[in-house]
Amino acid sequence: MAEEKSFKYVIVGGGVSAGYAAREFFKQGVKPGELAIISREQVPPYERPALSKGYIHLENKATLPNFYVAAGSGGERQFPQWYKEKGIELILGTEIVKADLAAKTLVSGTGQVFKYQTLLAATGSSVIRLSDFGVPGADAKNIFYLRELEDADYLAYAMEVKEKGKAVVVGGGYIGLELSAALKANNLEVTMVYPEPWCMPRLFTAGIASFYEGYYANKGINIVKGTVASGFSTNSNGEVTEVKLKDGRTLEADIVIVGVGGRPIISLFKGQVEEEKGGLKTDGFFKTSLPDVYAIGDVATFPMKLYNEMRRVEHVDHARKSAEQAVKAIKAAEEGNSIPEYDYLPYFYSRAFDLSWQFYGDNVGESVLFGDNDPKSSKPKFGSYWIKEGKVVGAFLEGGTPDENNAIAKLARAQPSVESLEVLSKEGLSFATKI
């Protein structure tokens, strides 16, 4: 029988949320030996967005330890030594396979038992794989997904081996757009394939998307819309050679990257806590229906005060902030104090090529496009507002300065009234900057 280890606080999962929770626990005066992080990854928590950005740029590669948490928000980098000095136990390469929340017990794949008094579920998301849908040949070599450091290592290696080769990117979301840019920068021929009428359909309007599609096309990226990968051909070594599309076409491929979304990892907790919208249901302090279990990051479905509804958010900004909020709430409860409820403004951003956009708020209602969205412009700068019930509820800006980005964030939180869509399209960015 493996020995039992006992901690006051256990964080299960080792991603961004876990790293920021550890930092907040330290700020709140956690004592050596009280806190453990249990992660199936082999390295301490790191800033996951780096994987699709600097980490796979072969010319000027960002490497660990440069993007350990909390580098991404301008904080101190938490090396393995950082955890050691603070007496925080990092239990890496360890997958929890069973959680008995009534008994406050976790069991690893090797039978190791961990006890806790307070649990933070920070298990994050797993990538959706084409093999989940039974796509023929989907397990061929050189078909990659990007979620963890190891995935990025395999991909970076393949990009070197297949230099000047052909890459097919399946999916038109975040990963699809960022990785197509990275592959192109690394001298591969790139084709993007996605079923929707335009890229990033969950956020972009047709007007926003047409700029990025035009810009990518001008960079020599081939875009195939309205169809999906329905199979893969391989050579005698089991390496992918072509992608078969549902519309009957085939694309030659030396490398395939799939980015078709993720799903929250909540199976450990099934039937033990309340769920909502695919996540674990929490209050404004990230406490679940069990008083000693908190959920943070991708897996939490929480009350979004600004819109008065329950939401689940998959983004690094919320992963950081939800972690800090939960730990503050845990500490406040122990001391008999209270803290304000979480009041989150949705925020998304992306960088690719020389482009950089930010979005704040809610992309619902009618939208208005403003500015110069010609993909051929030397310095494109444009944006969109979303208007619901006479109020501006969301704002998107490409090519903004830090001050302008702050202005659209303020605007999205303030939700000012507006007489007409015409006013917004005429005033454009100045509508936000004058507030």
Side-chain angles (χ1 to χ4, degrees):
M1 170 87 191
E3 58 167 327
E4 197 173 278
K5 283 191 165 181
S6 196
F7 300 94
K8 187 171 182 184
Y9 313 106
V10 170
I11 301 168
V12 61
V16 172
S17 277
Y20 279 78
R23 182 171 80 150
E24 191 58 42
F25 268 117
F26 169 64
K27 283 185 185 168
Q28 299 284 343
V30 74
K31 295 183 182 72
E34 285 188 332
L35 170 63
I37 293 177
I38 306 173
S39 170
R40 64 196 169 106
E41 289 196 69
Q42 300 292 346
V43 292
Y46 54 86
E47 303 281 6
R48 209 176 289 287
L51 296 185
S52 65
K53 298 178 177 74
Y55 194 73
I56 50 170
H57 275 278
L58 304 180
E59 287 294 294
N60 181 20
K61 191 163 151 43
T63 51
L64 277 178
N66 293 332
F67 57 91
Y68 280 138
V69 162
S73 58
E76 182 190 351
R77 286 176 299 171
Q78 296 167 196
F79 289 77
Q81 193 59 29
W82 183 91
Y83 296 90
K84 214 178 192 146
E85 283 165 6
K86 315 285 186 264
I88 297 169
E89 193 148 346
L90 264 185
I91 303 165
L92 301 175
T94 301
E95 181 149 22
I96 296 299
V97 293
K98 185 172 185 287
D100 182 339
L101 303 183
K104 299 192 175 190
T105 303
L106 307 169
V107 185
S108 80
T110 56
Q112 171 106 45
V113 177
F114 303 97
K115 294 276 208 185
Y116 64 84
Q117 290 172 40
T118 300
L119 179 70
L120 282 89
T123 39
S125 296
S126 60
V127 293
I128 295 171
R129 294 176 179 270
L130 295 181
S131 45
D132 300 346
F133 308 114
V135 175
D139 45 10
K141 289 178 193 156
N142 296 328
I143 297 180
F144 299 99
Y145 296 83
L146 190 61
R147 177 70 197 172
E148 295 178 1
L149 193 66
E150 203 177 30
D151 299 328
D153 285 335
Y154 289 136
L155 174 59
Y157 176 72
M159 289 197 305
E160 287 188 59
V161 174
K162 306 287 186 186
E163 201 194 8
K164 298 195 167 47
K166 292 184 167 65
V168 174
V169 177
V170 178
Y174 254 117
I175 293 286
L177 287 167
E178 291 186 358
L179 286 190
S180 294
L183 290 159
K184 192 71 200 166
N186 290 319
N187 298 316
L188 282 102
E189 261 184 65
V190 184
T191 302
M192 289 182 79
V193 179
Y194 44 92
E196 298 90 357
W198 63 75
C199 63
M200 283 284 285
R202 287 198 300 185
L203 174 59
F204 289 1
T205 59
I208 294 173
S210 73
F211 166 82
Y212 294 99
E213 290 177 351
Y215 190 97
Y216 275 48
N218 292 341
K219 290 278 184 191
I221 292 172
N222 177 27
I223 297 179
V224 178
K225 300 191 273 190
T227 188
V228 294
S230 59
F232 300 91
S233 310
T234 54
N235 63 17
S236 55
N237 297 331
E239 297 175 326
V240 70
T241 54
E242 53 182 23
V243 182
K244 298 174 188 166
L245 302 181
K246 202 174 177 182
D247 66 9
R249 285 184 280 182
T250 56
L251 303 168
E252 283 178 61
D254 300 301
I255 293 182
V256 174
I257 299 176
V258 182
V260 291
R263 52 170 76 96
I265 302 171
I266 59 171
S267 53
L268 280 175
F269 315 106
K270 278 263 174 235
Q272 303 185 73
V273 286
E274 281 178 39
E275 289 175 33
E276 191 167 336
K277 295 187 176 170
L280 306 178
K281 184 181 180 184
T282 76
D283 62 13
F285 309 101
F286 295 100
K287 191 161 69 182
T288 65
S289 55
L290 288 179
D292 43 35
V293 178
Y294 290 72
I296 53 181
D298 287 6
V299 296
T301 302
F302 62 95
M304 197 176 280
K305 219 170 149 177
L306 202 53
Y307 307 123
N308 199 18
E309 65 178 48
M310 298 295 287
R311 297 251 181 125
R312 198 172 64 75
V313 173
E314 296 174 357
H315 194 266
V316 64
D317 180 58
H318 163 71
R320 294 170 182 150
K321 289 176 177 163
S322 59
E324 288 164 358
Q325 172 75 354
V327 174
K328 284 177 182 154
I330 289 165
K331 285 310 213 178
E334 288 173 0
E335 289 157 10
N337 298 329
S338 65
I339 62 166
E341 280 188 292
Y342 195 59
D343 187 8
Y344 187 66
L345 174 69
Y347 162 56
F348 298 96
Y349 69 90
S350 183
R351 296 187 296 275
F353 295 118
D354 298 328
L355 304 173
S356 170
W357 59 259
Q358 296 197 2
F359 165 84
Y360 294 90
D362 213 10
N363 59 324
V364 293
E366 293 183 275
S367 67
V368 161
L369 196 66
F370 61 83
D372 174 14
N373 71 332
D374 179 353
K376 292 187 199 64
S377 288
S378 58
K379 272 255 175 263
K381 185 177 205 164
F382 71 94
S384 256
Y385 295 121
W386 282 261
I387 302 92
K388 188 182 170 192
E389 291 161 7
K391 287 192 187 122
V392 181
V393 293
F396 173 97
L397 185 60
E398 166 63 51
T401 63
D403 284 351
E404 290 164 343
N405 288 327
N406 283 338
I408 66 162
K410 271 205 190 107
L411 175 91
R413 189 172 274 287
Q415 301 184 2
S417 298
V418 60
E419 295 129 61
S420 69
L421 302 185
E422 286 74 50
V423 170
L424 283 179
S425 62
K426 199 165 83 228
E427 291 195 19
L429 186 55
S430 64
F431 182 83
T433 50
K434 68 176 193 212
I435 286 181

